[in-house]
Amino acid sequence: MPMRSGLNNMDSTEQFSSVIRRTLKQKLEALVPAWNGQVKDIPATGEVLAGPCAVIAFAEEVPKSAWAGYRRIIKISPYARPEDGGAEQVEVWSAALVEGLHQVRLEDEEGEAFTCIYLGSSDCDRVDASSGLVTRSLRFGVYVPETVEYALADTTDSWMSALQDWTRDQLGQDWSVYGDVWPGGYKAKSILWRLTGCSTTTAGTSALEIRKQWIGHVLSGNVRDVRQTVTHLVEQLAVQTRIALTDADSTRYVTVDEVSADLQADAYLNGQIRLTLQQRIRRPGTDVPLIREIHHSKGIE
């Protein structure tokens, strides 16, 4: 089923969870071959785990994000035998899971994409009472975009269109550029621009200055790619300072007022780039001709 729709009823939510679960199991089996494909659901009452293995458990749902979509917390618990290293082996596997899943785009069998974000360990290392295996629970947030149609629709904001076109010119065809929300089938190397604020100030008697604040999300499975791309975009915005707004009659420009980046920010949820664009326009009504001279004669009664 499409993960972008139908998440508000019990049947479709369960089906959605099953799709995510299957995709995650396949990914975990690839990340840790030592488990020999033993990636399990929560054991039934009385069932004893035989390590090495991992268990996936779906935890709480989180209120959805306007741009990131549906969110669900999952717990992944690796289990190691004491004779195989116990806590030290769990540490190695945990590092592999974080590296292989954090801010990584995954795709299910139907071509829908989702992202995992590492949220930390939910408890300390412990020994499972029934099996004697050493384990630890790692928390991940799973983010699934819901609305493809809105994300791919033509934007009516000329500033957004100009910013997207400028970004495509800078990065070329290897990168996909989106506006407002992540689409359901977002690509592995993606840029998302979101409008987060707008303000106006008076600039003299005949002009208004409009400012718009944007956040840029740079997402890629390659950390080096992300750093280089964020840095490149920020540098070019600082150097070029103007972005063209092309309409039917003429070309106007918006000016880069301020731009900065946080390379440690969550690429999918929070975005790394902060950008403010501005434009000065004539105030409405200022095109009316002004009275230039007044002639007065005392002879008029």
Side-chain angles (χ1 to χ4, degrees), residues 138-152:
L138 307 177
R139 296 178 75 248
F140 288 86
V142 174
Y143 297 79
V144 188
E146 290 186 87
T147 309
V148 170
E149 291 79 6
Y150 174 67
L152 298 181

Side-chain angles (χ1 to χ4, degrees), residues 1-2 5-19 61:
M1 73 166 236
S5 62
L7 298 179
N8 295 323
N9 62 76
M10 184 67 69
D11 291 340
S12 52
T13 299
E14 289 178 355
Q15 188 176 357
F16 156 79
S17 299
S18 297
V19 172
E61 292 188 19

Side-chain angles (χ1 to χ4, degrees), residues 156-227:
T156 58
D157 189 318
S158 60
W159 293 36
M160 172 70 87
S161 296
L163 184 56
Q164 289 177 290
D165 289 342
W166 178 89
T167 305
R168 292 186 185 100
D169 290 341
Q170 290 296 316
L171 301 182
Q173 297 181 351
D174 288 343
W175 289 83
S176 298
V177 183
Y178 305 115
D180 295 323
V181 301
W182 290 108
Y186 67 94
K187 302 301 182 183
K189 297 176 66 172
S190 302
I191 311 289
L192 170 69
W193 286 108
R194 291 191 296 112
L195 177 64
T196 60
C198 181
S199 62
T200 61
T201 56
T202 301
T205 58
S206 62
L208 290 175
E209 194 165 80
I210 302 174
R211 281 187 172 84
K212 293 185 179 182
Q213 290 79 42
W214 308 82
I215 291 180
H217 302 246
V218 180
L219 185 67
S220 172
N222 187 311
V223 175
R224 186 176 179 182
D225 254 0
V226 171
R227 296 179 66 89

Side-chain angles (χ1 to χ4, degrees), residues 6-124:
L7 298 179
N8 295 323
N9 62 76
M10 184 67 69
D11 291 340
S12 52
T13 299
E14 289 178 355
Q15 188 176 357
F16 156 79
S17 299
S18 297
V19 172
I20 294 289
R21 192 185 302 272
R22 287 197 300 271
T23 305
L24 283 172
K25 284 183 176 180
Q26 294 170 2
K27 179 65 173 178
L28 296 185
E29 289 169 8
L31 285 175
V32 186
W35 292 335
N36 294 316
Q38 298 302 304
V39 181
K40 306 172 178 292
D41 298 326
I42 297 175
T45 303
E47 181 183 355
V48 178
L49 293 173
C53 65
V55 170
I56 294 179
F58 274 63
E60 69 269 25
E61 292 188 19
V62 182
K64 71 178 182 180
S65 161
W67 63 92
Y70 171 87
R71 296 187 284 176
R72 184 73 182 266
I73 304 301
I74 63 169
K75 293 182 179 180
I76 302 175
S77 303
Y79 285 80
R81 295 178 297 195
E83 59 268 29
D84 293 336
E88 292 181 0
Q89 184 62 72
V90 167
E91 182 71 28
V92 172
W93 288 340
S94 297
L97 293 177
V98 173
E99 183 179 355
L101 292 178
H102 180 54
Q103 296 190 174
V104 172
R105 173 191 182 274
L106 299 177
E107 187 173 301
D108 71 10
E109 64 267 23
E110 297 179 3
E112 294 295 331
F114 62 93
T115 296
C116 293
I117 306 295
Y118 178 57
L119 304 176
S121 179
S122 60
D123 54 28
C124 61

